Amino acid sequence: MEEKDRYLEISTQVLSVDVNHIGDFLFEEPEKSFLGNWDLRLSPDSHHAANLLQAVRKLQTSDLPVAFPTETVYGLGAGATRGEAIAGIYKAKQRPADNPLIVHISSLTQLRQLFNLSPGLDKTPLDGFSHDPIPAIYHSVISRFWPGPLTVLLRLPKPSPLAPSVTAGLPTFGVRMPSSRLALALIHLAGFPVAAPSANASTRPSPTTAAHVLHDLSGRIELIIDGGPCQVGVESTVVDGLVDPPVVLRPGGVSIEMLSQCPGWEHVVVGYRDGVETGVPRAPGMKYKHYSPTARVILVHGKLNIQLLTKYLRGCKKAGIATTRTWRVEDLAASGASITQRAAETGRALCCSIVQHGTLDAMHSNANNGGPRRTLMATHGYERVADGEDSDTVHVVATDLGTSPVSIAQKLFSALRELDMHGVDVIFVEGIGADEGLTAAAVMNRLRKAAELEIQS
């Protein structure tokens, strides 16, 4: 049987889990935090706890990965030591084999156990002992940013318990402790570290809701945990402290300014490029084209220019616009005069539909419940037929990402998917300054990897 046919036989189940109703998190003294030792007492009568346990059993026994939410994006997880299960991640995503995975842990004890420490040496978090497998350079950043959106590179233990495909042949591996309590609970109950890239088809925009995962991987995985939308919206920052000075390999939820405030990280430098890189990737997200919707993406710097927009609409029936700082969908909808003037010059007519951000999940849910898919705002149409030509109408669907880097990061991947759902042929995205901190840098890094073209208006 062909691999494609095997996937078509898989039924994908979505289980809702509210972490506030699974039970009680119990912390040991003196840390009283996830960096220390902790346990989870599940509520025996909670269907949320029962759903979580079902996902745990899948992680422990199935060779198909499980999708689950973190604070950054949804992850596609399998036991980091289980080779066949890790292979299931690459197959489901159709991910290149030389693109390494990030290992997720629920405690420092769980991390240290990968290095085969004798009992008792993992009791004190970040104790600074010479035998601590966590290098001293990382102690300050782990204390400040874990649990959270920061991945650090460690040297592989010898012998390594990790499946070889986790590291893609590299002598190091990336590891982080997510701040999502649902992710921590899943990993803790599974009893082993979980390797997980984003839960999307390879090269597609990262998923920030369970609906995004279902859209990409339905029929390819058995189980998706729906824990609601992710809060950060872009993946973790990846750093390498094994070199001097330390470097940021991938921008994400922790800024370089924040890192530079930690002892030993005062001189941290950028070690990534925004475009697609060549050679062996040192961390996930460095080598291949990522975050791309089906539509062509054009990254635009400067003011919204109708003349510029029409220049790239050859053969298009519908275009998407994602606004940030200066572009306004209200201005586009209200600019009938300028649109009509431009249409008169080009022989093209533009129809503008304003779509409130975040309608994708509502549309998906409504359609699944038998209702129609819906666009929330009215359409403004401007028609002209050029002499001797047929009407050539281009519909423009616009969505606003907000003005702050945090808001843009939270909404970016969802907006790209939303515009794809509207069937646009091209998406114009208003860029922001990458020098406004690492959140802005992370946004622009993702956009440049998704974009086919970058232009100045």
Side-chain angles (χ1 to χ4, degrees), residues 223-307:
L223 187 60
I224 301 170
I225 300 176
D226 185 355
C230 301
Q231 298 303 308
V232 176
V234 293
E235 298 89 344
S236 62
T237 300
V238 180
V239 298
D240 184 358
L242 304 177
V243 295
D244 187 17
V247 298
V248 176
L249 296 178
R250 183 180 75 181
V254 175
S255 73
I256 196 168
E257 293 82 7
M258 296 163 67
L259 288 166
S260 66
Q261 295 171 12
C262 297
W265 291 77
E266 294 87 354
H267 304 294
V268 60
V269 297
V270 170
Y272 62 88
R273 286 167 37 192
D274 284 338
V276 177
E277 300 188 23
T278 59
V280 178
R282 293 168 62 188
M286 294 187 70
K287 182 175 180 181
Y288 295 96
K289 184 177 180 181
H290 280 68
Y291 321 117
S292 301
T294 302
R296 180 190 189 196
V297 176
I298 298 178
L299 176 58
V300 185
H301 301 279
K303 295 181 179 181
L304 179 61
N305 185 314
I306 298 300
Q307 182 177 1

Side-chain angles (χ1 to χ4, degrees), residues 326-343:
T326 62
W327 299 5
R328 290 289 176 269
V329 292
E330 295 86 355
D331 295 341
L332 182 65
S335 60
S338 62
I339 291 178
T340 302
Q341 181 180 2
R342 177 50 43 196

Side-chain angles (χ1 to χ4, degrees), residues 161-445:
L162 297 176
S165 50
V166 168
T167 63
L170 296 174
T172 59
F173 70 102
V175 61
R176 84 177 186 99
M177 184 187 297
S179 64
S180 162
R181 289 191 300 151
L182 180 49
L184 290 169
L186 176 72
I187 300 166
H188 174 79
L189 293 173
F192 46 68
V194 171
S198 55
N200 55 308
S202 187
T203 77
R204 296 278 294 154
S206 297
T208 55
T209 70
H212 297 164
V213 181
L214 186 63
H215 180 270
D216 277 15
L217 301 181
S218 178
R220 291 184 169 270
I221 61 175
E222 292 179 314
L223 187 60
I224 301 170
I225 300 176
D226 185 355
C230 301
Q231 298 303 308
V232 176
V234 293
E235 298 89 344
S236 62
T237 300
V238 180
V239 298
D240 184 358
L242 304 177
V243 295
D244 187 17
V247 298
V248 176
L249 296 178
R250 183 180 75 181
V254 175
S255 73
I256 196 168
E257 293 82 7
M258 296 163 67
L259 288 166
S260 66
Q261 295 171 12
C262 297
W265 291 77
E266 294 87 354
H267 304 294
V268 60
V269 297
V270 170
Y272 62 88
R273 286 167 37 192
D274 284 338
V276 177
E277 300 188 23
T278 59
V280 178
R282 293 168 62 188
M286 294 187 70
K287 182 175 180 181
Y288 295 96
K289 184 177 180 181
H290 280 68
Y291 321 117
S292 301
T294 302
R296 180 190 189 196
V297 176
I298 298 178
L299 176 58
V300 185
H301 301 279
K303 295 181 179 181
L304 179 61
N305 185 314
I306 298 300
Q307 182 177 1
L308 178 72
L309 185 148
T310 56
K311 179 180 177 181
Y312 293 96
L313 292 178
R314 184 184 302 274
C316 295
K317 294 297 183 184
K318 187 180 289 188
I321 293 180
T323 67
T324 58
R325 294 288 175 75
T326 62
W327 299 5
R328 290 289 176 269
V329 292
E330 295 86 355
D331 295 341
L332 182 65
S335 60
S338 62
I339 291 178
T340 302
Q341 181 180 2
R342 177 50 43 196
E345 296 173 7
T346 64
R348 312 213 74 181
L350 299 180
C351 294
C352 177
S353 305
I354 304 176
V355 181
Q356 298 283 13
H357 175 79
T359 60
L360 174 61
D361 294 329
M363 291 164 56
H364 180 88
S365 175
N366 201 37
N368 281 351
N369 293 329
R373 296 188 183 274
R374 53 195 175 91
T375 301
L376 297 186
M377 300 284 286
T379 297
H380 303 264
Y382 305 96
E383 298 282 350
R384 177 187 180 273
V385 180
D387 292 340
E389 295 180 6
D390 294 328
S391 176
D392 190 10
T393 301
V394 178
H395 295 270
V396 178
V397 183
T399 185
D400 185 19
L401 304 184
T403 58
S404 73
V406 171
S407 172
I408 297 166
Q410 288 173 339
K411 297 176 180 179
L412 174 61
F413 290 143
S414 181
L416 293 177
R417 287 178 172 272
E418 182 173 342
L419 292 170
D420 246 2
M421 290 287 288
H422 281 277
V424 301
D425 303 296
V426 61
I427 299 173
F428 299 92
V429 184
E430 179 188 5
I432 61 175
D435 57 352
E436 299 179 33
L438 207 60
T439 300
V443 168
M444 292 305 295
N445 173 264

